[in-house]
Amino acid sequence: MNWFKYSAPAAFYPLAGRLIPWFWRLAFVFAAAGLYIGLVAAPVDFQQGEAYRIIFIHVGAAWMSMFIYLVMAFWGGMGLAFNTRLSGMMAQALAPTGTMFAFLSLWTGAFWGKPMWGTWWLWSDARLMSSLILLFLYIGFLALTHAIDDKRRADRAGAILLLVGVVNIPVIYFSVQWWNTLHQGASVSVKGSSMAVIMLWGMLLVALAMWMYTIAVALTRARIIILEREWRADWVQTLSNPESAGGTAGN
Amino acid sequence: MRALLHVIVRDLRLALRRPADIVSTLFFFVIVASLFPLGVGPDPALLRQLAPGVLWVGALLATMLSLPRLFADDFRDGTLEQMALSPNPLGLAVLGKVVAHWLYSGLPLAVLAPVLGLQFDLSTGALGVLTFSILLGTPALSGIGAIGAGLTLGLRGGGVLLSLLVLPLYIPVLIFGAGAVDAVAGGLEPQTHLALLTALSVGGVAFAPWIAALALKLALE
């Protein structure tokens, strides 16, 4: 199987178009199930009361903000190594969603912190700081790639920045172990979890919903970016007016 | 090795021929440090507490201000292109420029810092550690800054963009640098912070020039 077949925008565009509705459907199913468990089925926490339900959004958003950055860095690395056009477009398409999740994780974290810790924000907490840096890195990536008019240079410069910033991800992940932080340690791990099963399910389902949503939105955005950048290509012209198929007519 | 020395000497000579650039960066540092006592009030206890952070942030901003010129002049007159074409790897030339940048920006900042620290009523021990931490930390600032300068080379609005890219990456240096001074002021040992600061600088100077060279090649295409 040729893995590079779909790295050509002309082949990727219709594939993405076919996949997007499915990812939307999965996102809605997971979101409905996860939110039902999280907001209705899960019992009230005996220590933390109703406010603990924020974690159903917070944990998923925080996971996604880190994961999307890793995926972007992966695409950046691929773009630098193989010089594929699609890689840069994928990184570009994921960036706004990643920024949104990074912001969401900080925002919901602040809402969590107020009732639980008595403060919105704590400057001495390593996880809070490294998550804030992650948001800054996303913003830096967006600012840099939008400031460069030459798309190829924009993609490659963005990729370099992504790969430099990727050192922050393990710092976020291990911050609760490396430093003595107010932010609690991981409740979920491969070996098992220290939470009630139903809460865990709620969290995982919402995280899955966010994952599916990210894919759907990123693919949609990638399709738009492809049209913007490749509008001169024959296949895009054919797409927009089928009569002049194969021709270079167009304005 | 000779190529490296050559770049360092050349950049230093160029910098010394335009001393106004270096001096204005230093005065920026002085002014920023002087603004804080005016802004937060003259209470010595408060100032002593703020000093490590204020001086470190000032050093960070002053370093950042001198970054756009790191490659811009050589880019404009074609020297950078010749460096890229030379048989020596471009990363080596960038390393030379980073070292030179530290010598004409980081080193003067470290010399100036204790004088400003006196204004903030820091103890002798804290002044020593402040100077030492700025000496140890600024190579990382020059190294990381080179990446940002390379990525934004020749872009419109490069200065603001550069600060967006570089300042988040400077945060660890700020934390450990100011942390070392804070530790001494609080009666603790600064070794851990200084060791981490040194690690950042060694890493920054060893790896950053090669990444910056990659970024420069994009700008030169």
Side-chain angles (χ1 to χ4, degrees):
Chain A
M1 179 172 177
N2 180 8
W3 289 98
F4 285 100
K5 184 188 169 199
Y6 289 107
S7 68
F12 175 81
Y13 184 86
L15 175 74
R18 276 199 304 280
L19 290 177
I20 288 167
W22 290 103
F23 283 113
W24 274 120
R25 272 167 222 168
L26 284 173
F28 277 113
V29 171
F30 287 137
L35 289 178
Y36 173 77
I37 292 178
L39 300 181
V40 182
V44 177
D45 190 272
F46 82 102
Q47 272 182 324
Q48 304 174 334
E50 293 283 1
Y52 91 95
R53 294 186 197 277
I54 291 171
I55 60 157
F56 291 110
I57 303 292
H58 175 69
V59 174
W63 279 347
M64 288 314 294
S65 69
M66 291 190 279
F67 182 64
I68 292 175
Y69 195 90
L70 283 179
V71 175
M72 282 167 65
F74 166 78
W75 284 120
M78 294 292 275
L80 284 179
F82 297 108
N83 210 358
T84 42
R85 277 170 300 166
L86 194 60
S87 311
M89 299 184 195
M90 285 306 288
Q92 205 50 250
L94 283 163
T97 314
T99 315
M100 189 268 286
F101 277 124
F103 178 74
L104 195 64
S105 82
L106 289 171
W107 188 248
T108 52
F111 272 126
W112 162 276
K114 191 62 188 168
M116 302 301 165
W117 305 337
T119 174
W120 297 105
W121 183 257
L122 197 75
W123 284 105
S124 60
D125 191 286
R127 175 158 278 184
L128 267 56
M129 279 320 297
S130 47
S131 304
L132 186 64
I133 295 179
L134 181 67
L135 179 65
F136 290 160
L137 287 173
Y138 272 120
I139 291 171
F141 173 82
L142 285 172
L144 177 66
T145 49
H146 283 85
I148 307 177
D149 293 326
D150 174 12
K151 294 298 174 210
R152 189 168 165 276
R153 187 185 164 192
D155 285 347
R156 296 172 76 84
I160 293 174
L161 187 66
L162 284 171
L163 290 175
V164 170
V166 92
V167 288
N168 188 38
I169 299 294
V171 174
I172 300 180
Y173 191 78
F174 292 111
S175 56
V176 285
Q177 295 173 23
W178 291 349
W179 287 282
N180 208 351
T181 60
L182 191 55
H183 193 288
Q184 67 199 69
S187 309
V188 187
S189 73
V190 193
K191 279 171 247 144
S193 146
S194 62
M195 341 168 51
V197 177
I198 188 158
M199 294 182 190
L200 180 67
W201 271 107
M203 233 166 66
L204 289 179
L205 282 170
V206 174
L208 265 176
M210 287 173 171
W211 197 352
M212 297 300 125
Y213 160 83
T214 305
I215 297 177
V217 171
L219 288 179
T220 310
R221 214 176 272 127
R223 269 163 64 98
I224 296 169
I225 295 173
I226 288 175
L227 289 187
E228 271 175 8
R229 292 198 190 173
E230 311 257 317
W231 65 274
R232 271 177 243 264
D234 275 350
W235 69 270
V236 181
Q237 295 292 339
T238 320
L239 215 63
S240 56
N241 54 338
E243 303 94 73
S244 69
T248 47
N251 36 9
Chain B
M1 200 61 217
R2 277 195 53 202
L4 180 67
L5 263 177
H6 177 79
V7 176
I8 297 175
V9 171
R10 172 184 169 277
D11 266 35
L12 273 183
R13 192 176 293 152
L14 281 175
L16 289 176
R17 287 206 180 137
R18 287 211 319 220
D21 287 358
I22 305 175
V23 174
S24 48
T25 311
L26 288 178
F27 268 102
F28 174 80
F29 184 41
V30 174
I31 291 172
V32 167
S34 315
L35 284 181
F36 276 86
L38 298 175
V40 300
D43 176 21
L46 179 66
L47 288 182
R48 217 175 297 130
Q49 218 179 354
L50 284 179
V54 167
L55 293 175
W56 256 100
V57 170
L60 231 68
L61 295 176
T63 309
M64 204 197 68
L65 275 187
S66 61
L67 283 175
R69 279 198 306 273
L70 187 56
F71 301 119
D73 292 338
D74 285 346
F75 179 58
R76 217 173 299 126
D77 66 12
T79 314
L80 202 63
E81 207 159 351
Q82 297 305 315
M83 285 178 173
L85 291 173
S86 84
N88 297 310
L90 183 58
L92 208 62
V94 178
L95 177 62
K97 284 180 149 309
V98 167
V99 174
H101 180 261
W102 179 73
L103 286 171
Y104 65 73
S105 110
L107 196 58
L109 287 178
V111 173
L112 199 56
V115 183
L116 296 175
L118 278 177
Q119 281 190 316
F120 284 82
D121 196 25
L122 280 180
S123 67
T124 322
L127 283 178
V129 173
L130 174 71
T131 314
F132 198 49
S133 71
I134 290 186
L135 264 182
L136 284 179
T138 36
L141 300 185
S142 297
I144 298 168
I147 301 177
L151 286 173
T152 55
L153 186 59
L155 300 181
R156 65 195 135 74
V160 183
L161 192 59
L162 181 66
S163 62
L164 267 183
L165 301 187
V166 163
L167 287 180
L169 298 174
Y170 277 180
I171 291 175
V173 182
L174 172 67
I175 290 175
F176 296 127
V181 188
D182 265 336
V184 176
L188 300 168
E189 292 292 315
Q191 265 85 342
T192 330
H193 290 102
L194 292 178
L196 284 165
L197 208 55
T198 315
L200 287 173
S201 278
V202 171
V205 173
F207 295 114
W210 306 94
I211 305 171
L214 214 71
L216 287 177
K217 279 179 188 147
L218 292 178
L220 289 171
E221 268 172 12

Short mmCIF file of all heavy atoms in Angstrom, two decimals, chain A residues 80 129 133 136-137 139-141 143-144 146-149 152-153 156-157 160-161 164-165 179, chain B residues 147 150-156 161 164-165 168-169 171-172 175-176 211 214-215 218-219 221:
data_model
loop_
_atom_site.label_atom_id
_atom_site.label_comp_id
_atom_site.label_asym_id
_atom_site.label_seq_id
_atom_site.Cartn_x
_atom_site.Cartn_y
_atom_site.Cartn_z
N LEU A 80 9.05 18.85 7.03
CA LEU A 80 10.46 19.20 6.87
C LEU A 80 11.23 18.04 6.24
O LEU A 80 12.11 18.23 5.42
CB LEU A 80 11.09 19.53 8.22
CG LEU A 80 10.74 20.89 8.82
CD1 LEU A 80 11.43 21.05 10.16
CD2 LEU A 80 11.15 22.01 7.89
N MET A 129 1.72 26.79 34.82
CA MET A 129 2.67 27.58 34.05
C MET A 129 2.96 26.94 32.69
O MET A 129 2.96 27.60 31.66
CB MET A 129 4.00 27.72 34.81
CG MET A 129 4.01 28.78 35.87
SD MET A 129 3.17 30.26 35.36
CE MET A 129 4.17 30.76 33.98
N ILE A 133 2.31 28.31 28.92
CA ILE A 133 3.34 28.39 27.87
C ILE A 133 2.84 27.70 26.60
O ILE A 133 3.05 28.18 25.48
CB ILE A 133 4.67 27.77 28.35
CG1 ILE A 133 5.24 28.58 29.51
CG2 ILE A 133 5.67 27.70 27.22
CD1 ILE A 133 6.53 28.04 30.06
N PHE A 136 0.75 30.03 24.75
CA PHE A 136 1.61 31.02 24.10
C PHE A 136 2.26 30.44 22.85
O PHE A 136 2.43 31.13 21.84
CB PHE A 136 2.70 31.52 25.06
CG PHE A 136 2.18 32.37 26.18
CD1 PHE A 136 2.92 32.57 27.33
CD2 PHE A 136 0.94 33.00 26.08
CE1 PHE A 136 2.46 33.36 28.36
CE2 PHE A 136 0.47 33.79 27.11
CZ PHE A 136 1.22 33.97 28.24
N LEU A 137 2.67 29.16 22.94
CA LEU A 137 3.31 28.53 21.79
C LEU A 137 2.35 28.43 20.61
O LEU A 137 2.71 28.67 19.46
CB LEU A 137 3.83 27.14 22.15
CG LEU A 137 5.06 27.09 23.06
CD1 LEU A 137 5.36 25.66 23.47
CD2 LEU A 137 6.25 27.69 22.36
N ILE A 139 -0.19 30.41 20.08
CA ILE A 139 -0.40 31.76 19.55
C ILE A 139 0.81 32.18 18.72
O ILE A 139 0.66 32.78 17.65
CB ILE A 139 -0.68 32.73 20.71
CG1 ILE A 139 -2.05 32.39 21.32
CG2 ILE A 139 -0.66 34.17 20.23
CD1 ILE A 139 -2.35 33.11 22.59
N GLY A 140 2.01 31.85 19.21
CA GLY A 140 3.22 32.17 18.45
C GLY A 140 3.21 31.50 17.09
O GLY A 140 3.55 32.12 16.07
N PHE A 141 2.79 30.24 17.06
CA PHE A 141 2.73 29.51 15.79
C PHE A 141 1.77 30.19 14.82
O PHE A 141 2.09 30.43 13.66
CB PHE A 141 2.29 28.06 16.03
CG PHE A 141 2.04 27.27 14.77
CD1 PHE A 141 3.09 26.69 14.08
CD2 PHE A 141 0.76 27.12 14.27
CE1 PHE A 141 2.87 25.97 12.92
CE2 PHE A 141 0.53 26.41 13.11
CZ PHE A 141 1.58 25.84 12.43
N ALA A 143 0.73 33.30 14.88
CA ALA A 143 1.22 34.62 14.50
C ALA A 143 2.31 34.50 13.45
O ALA A 143 2.33 35.23 12.45
CB ALA A 143 1.74 35.36 15.73
N LEU A 144 3.23 33.55 13.66
CA LEU A 144 4.34 33.40 12.73
C LEU A 144 3.86 32.97 11.35
O LEU A 144 4.22 33.57 10.33
CB LEU A 144 5.34 32.38 13.27
CG LEU A 144 6.53 32.07 12.36
CD1 LEU A 144 7.41 33.29 12.21
CD2 LEU A 144 7.35 30.90 12.89
N HIS A 146 1.00 33.26 9.99
CA HIS A 146 0.17 34.23 9.29
C HIS A 146 0.96 35.46 8.85
O HIS A 146 0.47 36.23 8.04
CB HIS A 146 -1.03 34.62 10.16
CG HIS A 146 -2.09 33.57 10.17
ND1 HIS A 146 -2.06 32.51 11.04
CD2 HIS A 146 -3.17 33.38 9.40
CE1 HIS A 146 -3.09 31.72 10.80
NE2 HIS A 146 -3.77 32.22 9.81
N ALA A 147 2.15 35.64 9.43
CA ALA A 147 2.94 36.82 9.05
C ALA A 147 3.74 36.56 7.78
O ALA A 147 4.26 37.49 7.17
CB ALA A 147 3.88 37.21 10.19
N ILE A 148 3.88 35.30 7.38
CA ILE A 148 4.71 34.97 6.21
C ILE A 148 3.78 34.75 5.01
O ILE A 148 2.90 33.90 5.06
CB ILE A 148 5.56 33.72 6.48
CG1 ILE A 148 6.36 33.89 7.77
CG2 ILE A 148 6.50 33.47 5.32
CD1 ILE A 148 7.17 32.70 8.16
N ASP A 149 4.01 35.50 3.96
CA ASP A 149 3.12 35.40 2.80
C ASP A 149 3.42 34.16 1.97
O ASP A 149 2.50 33.52 1.45
CB ASP A 149 3.26 36.65 1.93
CG ASP A 149 2.72 37.87 2.65
OD1 ASP A 149 1.75 37.70 3.41
OD2 ASP A 149 3.27 38.96 2.48
N ARG A 152 5.01 28.23 1.56
CA ARG A 152 5.96 27.16 1.79
C ARG A 152 6.89 27.54 2.94
O ARG A 152 7.14 26.75 3.85
CB ARG A 152 6.78 26.90 0.52
CG ARG A 152 7.61 25.67 0.63
CD ARG A 152 8.19 25.25 -0.69
NE ARG A 152 9.25 24.30 -0.45
CZ ARG A 152 10.50 24.65 -0.15
NH1 ARG A 152 10.81 25.92 -0.11
NH2 ARG A 152 11.41 23.74 0.08
N ARG A 153 7.36 28.79 2.92
CA ARG A 153 8.22 29.24 4.01
C ARG A 153 7.43 29.27 5.32
O ARG A 153 7.94 28.91 6.38
CB ARG A 153 8.79 30.63 3.71
CG ARG A 153 9.81 31.03 4.75
CD ARG A 153 10.33 32.44 4.60
NE ARG A 153 11.00 32.82 5.85
CZ ARG A 153 11.37 34.05 6.16
NH1 ARG A 153 11.16 35.02 5.31
NH2 ARG A 153 11.95 34.29 7.30
N ARG A 156 7.22 25.80 6.74
CA ARG A 156 8.49 25.26 7.26
C ARG A 156 8.94 26.02 8.50
O ARG A 156 9.44 25.41 9.45
CB ARG A 156 9.54 25.29 6.15
CG ARG A 156 9.16 24.37 4.99
CD ARG A 156 10.09 24.51 3.81
NE ARG A 156 11.36 23.87 4.04
CZ ARG A 156 11.59 22.58 3.83
NH1 ARG A 156 10.62 21.81 3.41
NH2 ARG A 156 12.77 22.07 4.04
N ALA A 157 8.74 27.33 8.49
CA ALA A 157 9.10 28.11 9.69
C ALA A 157 8.22 27.66 10.86
O ALA A 157 8.71 27.46 11.98
CB ALA A 157 8.92 29.60 9.43
N ILE A 160 9.48 24.39 12.28
CA ILE A 160 10.66 24.52 13.15
C ILE A 160 10.22 24.98 14.55
O ILE A 160 10.64 24.42 15.56
CB ILE A 160 11.67 25.52 12.55
CG1 ILE A 160 12.25 24.95 11.26
CG2 ILE A 160 12.78 25.84 13.54
CD1 ILE A 160 13.15 25.91 10.52
N LEU A 161 9.32 25.96 14.57
CA LEU A 161 8.83 26.46 15.87
C LEU A 161 8.12 25.35 16.64
O LEU A 161 8.32 25.19 17.85
CB LEU A 161 7.89 27.64 15.65
CG LEU A 161 7.44 28.36 16.91
CD1 LEU A 161 8.61 29.03 17.59
CD2 LEU A 161 6.37 29.37 16.60
N VAL A 164 10.63 23.00 18.12
CA VAL A 164 11.32 23.59 19.27
C VAL A 164 10.40 23.55 20.50
O VAL A 164 10.82 23.18 21.59
CB VAL A 164 11.74 25.05 18.98
CG1 VAL A 164 12.24 25.73 20.23
CG2 VAL A 164 12.82 25.07 17.92
N GLY A 165 9.12 23.88 20.29
CA GLY A 165 8.20 23.98 21.41
C GLY A 165 7.79 22.65 21.98
O GLY A 165 7.22 22.58 23.07
N TRP A 179 7.49 18.37 40.18
CA TRP A 179 7.39 19.43 41.16
C TRP A 179 6.27 19.13 42.13
O TRP A 179 5.35 18.39 41.82
CB TRP A 179 7.14 20.78 40.49
CG TRP A 179 8.32 21.31 39.78
CD1 TRP A 179 9.40 21.94 40.34
CD2 TRP A 179 8.56 21.29 38.37
NE1 TRP A 179 10.28 22.30 39.36
CE2 TRP A 179 9.80 21.92 38.16
CE3 TRP A 179 7.85 20.82 37.27
CZ2 TRP A 179 10.35 22.08 36.89
CZ3 TRP A 179 8.40 20.97 36.01
CH2 TRP A 179 9.64 21.59 35.83
N ILE B 147 17.07 31.58 17.26
CA ILE B 147 16.04 30.84 16.54
C ILE B 147 14.92 31.79 16.13
O ILE B 147 14.48 31.82 14.98
CB ILE B 147 15.45 29.71 17.41
CG1 ILE B 147 16.55 28.74 17.83
CG2 ILE B 147 14.35 28.98 16.66
CD1 ILE B 147 16.06 27.64 18.75
N GLY B 150 16.00 34.16 13.45
CA GLY B 150 16.08 33.48 12.15
C GLY B 150 14.70 33.28 11.54
O GLY B 150 14.50 33.51 10.35
N LEU B 151 13.74 32.88 12.38
CA LEU B 151 12.40 32.61 11.87
C LEU B 151 11.71 33.88 11.38
O LEU B 151 10.91 33.84 10.45
CB LEU B 151 11.53 31.95 12.95
CG LEU B 151 11.83 30.48 13.26
CD1 LEU B 151 11.03 30.02 14.46
CD2 LEU B 151 11.50 29.61 12.06
N THR B 152 12.00 35.02 12.02
CA THR B 152 11.28 36.25 11.67
C THR B 152 12.09 37.13 10.72
O THR B 152 11.68 38.25 10.45
CB THR B 152 10.95 37.07 12.93
OG1 THR B 152 12.16 37.29 13.65
CG2 THR B 152 9.97 36.33 13.82
N LEU B 153 13.23 36.63 10.26
CA LEU B 153 14.11 37.46 9.43
C LEU B 153 13.39 37.93 8.17
O LEU B 153 12.84 37.13 7.41
CB LEU B 153 15.35 36.63 9.06
CG LEU B 153 16.44 37.38 8.30
CD1 LEU B 153 16.94 38.55 9.13
CD2 LEU B 153 17.60 36.44 8.01
N GLY B 154 13.40 39.24 7.97
CA GLY B 154 12.84 39.80 6.74
C GLY B 154 11.33 39.87 6.71
O GLY B 154 10.75 40.14 5.67
N LEU B 155 10.66 39.61 7.84
CA LEU B 155 9.19 39.68 7.84
C LEU B 155 8.74 41.06 8.29
O LEU B 155 9.41 41.72 9.08
CB LEU B 155 8.61 38.64 8.80
CG LEU B 155 8.95 37.19 8.52
CD1 LEU B 155 8.27 36.31 9.54
CD2 LEU B 155 8.50 36.83 7.12
N ARG B 156 7.56 41.46 7.78
CA ARG B 156 7.02 42.73 8.27
C ARG B 156 6.53 42.53 9.69
O ARG B 156 6.04 41.46 10.05
CB ARG B 156 5.91 43.22 7.34
CG ARG B 156 4.71 42.34 7.32
CD ARG B 156 3.82 42.65 6.15
NE ARG B 156 3.37 41.43 5.49
CZ ARG B 156 2.47 40.60 6.00
NH1 ARG B 156 1.91 40.86 7.14
NH2 ARG B 156 2.13 39.50 5.36
N LEU B 161 6.50 40.18 16.43
CA LEU B 161 6.41 38.74 16.21
C LEU B 161 7.51 38.01 16.96
O LEU B 161 7.29 37.00 17.62
CB LEU B 161 6.52 38.48 14.71
CG LEU B 161 6.18 37.10 14.24
CD1 LEU B 161 4.76 36.75 14.62
CD2 LEU B 161 6.36 37.01 12.74
N LEU B 164 6.71 37.60 20.49
CA LEU B 164 5.69 36.56 20.70
C LEU B 164 6.31 35.17 20.69
O LEU B 164 5.91 34.28 21.42
CB LEU B 164 4.65 36.63 19.58
CG LEU B 164 3.40 37.45 19.82
CD1 LEU B 164 2.46 37.33 18.65
CD2 LEU B 164 2.71 36.97 21.08
N LEU B 165 7.30 34.97 19.81
CA LEU B 165 7.90 33.65 19.68
C LEU B 165 8.89 33.38 20.80
O LEU B 165 8.95 32.27 21.33
CB LEU B 165 8.65 33.52 18.34
CG LEU B 165 7.86 33.73 17.07
CD1 LEU B 165 8.73 33.41 15.88
CD2 LEU B 165 6.64 32.86 17.06
N PRO B 168 7.87 33.38 25.35
CA PRO B 168 7.43 32.15 26.03
C PRO B 168 8.58 31.16 26.25
O PRO B 168 8.64 30.50 27.28
CB PRO B 168 6.39 31.55 25.07
CG PRO B 168 5.94 32.68 24.24
CD PRO B 168 7.08 33.63 24.14
N LEU B 169 9.51 31.12 25.28
CA LEU B 169 10.63 30.19 25.42
C LEU B 169 11.64 30.67 26.46
O LEU B 169 12.46 29.90 26.96
CB LEU B 169 11.32 30.00 24.07
CG LEU B 169 10.45 29.40 22.96
CD1 LEU B 169 11.19 29.40 21.64
CD2 LEU B 169 10.03 27.99 23.30
N ILE B 171 10.76 31.83 29.36
CA ILE B 171 10.19 31.72 30.71
C ILE B 171 11.02 30.82 31.64
O ILE B 171 11.29 31.21 32.78
CB ILE B 171 8.71 31.25 30.63
CG1 ILE B 171 7.87 32.37 30.03
CG2 ILE B 171 8.17 30.89 32.01
CD1 ILE B 171 6.42 32.00 29.79
N PRO B 172 11.48 29.62 31.18
CA PRO B 172 12.28 28.80 32.10
C PRO B 172 13.53 29.52 32.60
O PRO B 172 13.87 29.44 33.79
CB PRO B 172 12.66 27.58 31.26
CG PRO B 172 11.66 27.52 30.17
CD PRO B 172 11.23 28.92 29.92
N ILE B 175 12.51 31.92 35.26
CA ILE B 175 12.13 31.28 36.51
C ILE B 175 13.36 30.87 37.31
O ILE B 175 13.48 31.17 38.50
CB ILE B 175 11.24 30.04 36.24
CG1 ILE B 175 9.87 30.50 35.72
CG2 ILE B 175 11.06 29.22 37.51
CD1 ILE B 175 8.97 29.36 35.32
N PHE B 176 14.31 30.21 36.64
CA PHE B 176 15.48 29.73 37.38
C PHE B 176 16.43 30.87 37.72
O PHE B 176 17.07 30.86 38.78
CB PHE B 176 16.19 28.64 36.59
CG PHE B 176 15.34 27.41 36.42
CD1 PHE B 176 15.12 26.88 35.16
CD2 PHE B 176 14.74 26.82 37.51
CE1 PHE B 176 14.32 25.76 35.00
CE2 PHE B 176 13.93 25.70 37.36
CZ PHE B 176 13.72 25.18 36.10
N ILE B 211 19.40 24.92 14.80
CA ILE B 211 17.98 25.14 14.46
C ILE B 211 17.84 26.50 13.80
O ILE B 211 17.12 26.65 12.80
CB ILE B 211 17.11 25.04 15.73
CG1 ILE B 211 17.34 23.71 16.44
CG2 ILE B 211 15.65 25.21 15.40
CD1 ILE B 211 16.71 23.61 17.80
N LEU B 214 18.77 26.39 10.25
CA LEU B 214 17.68 25.83 9.44
C LEU B 214 16.67 26.92 9.08
O LEU B 214 16.20 27.02 7.94
CB LEU B 214 16.99 24.74 10.27
CG LEU B 214 16.44 23.53 9.55
CD1 LEU B 214 17.58 22.68 9.05
CD2 LEU B 214 15.56 22.72 10.49
N ALA B 215 16.36 27.74 10.09
CA ALA B 215 15.40 28.84 9.87
C ALA B 215 15.97 29.86 8.88
O ALA B 215 15.25 30.39 8.03
CB ALA B 215 15.06 29.51 11.19
N LEU B 218 15.60 29.01 5.27
CA LEU B 218 14.27 29.31 4.72
C LEU B 218 14.21 30.75 4.25
O LEU B 218 13.65 31.05 3.19
CB LEU B 218 13.20 29.13 5.80
CG LEU B 218 12.91 27.73 6.29
CD1 LEU B 218 11.86 27.78 7.38
CD2 LEU B 218 12.45 26.88 5.15
N ALA B 219 14.79 31.65 5.07
CA ALA B 219 14.73 33.06 4.73
C ALA B 219 15.56 33.36 3.49
O ALA B 219 15.28 34.29 2.73
CB ALA B 219 15.22 33.89 5.91
N GLU B 221 16.05 31.36 0.90
CA GLU B 221 15.61 30.71 -0.34
C GLU B 221 15.02 31.70 -1.33
O GLU B 221 14.34 32.63 -0.93
CB GLU B 221 14.56 29.66 0.00
CG GLU B 221 15.20 28.31 0.23
CD GLU B 221 14.19 27.30 0.77
OE1 GLU B 221 12.98 27.60 0.74
OE2 GLU B 221 14.63 26.24 1.22
#
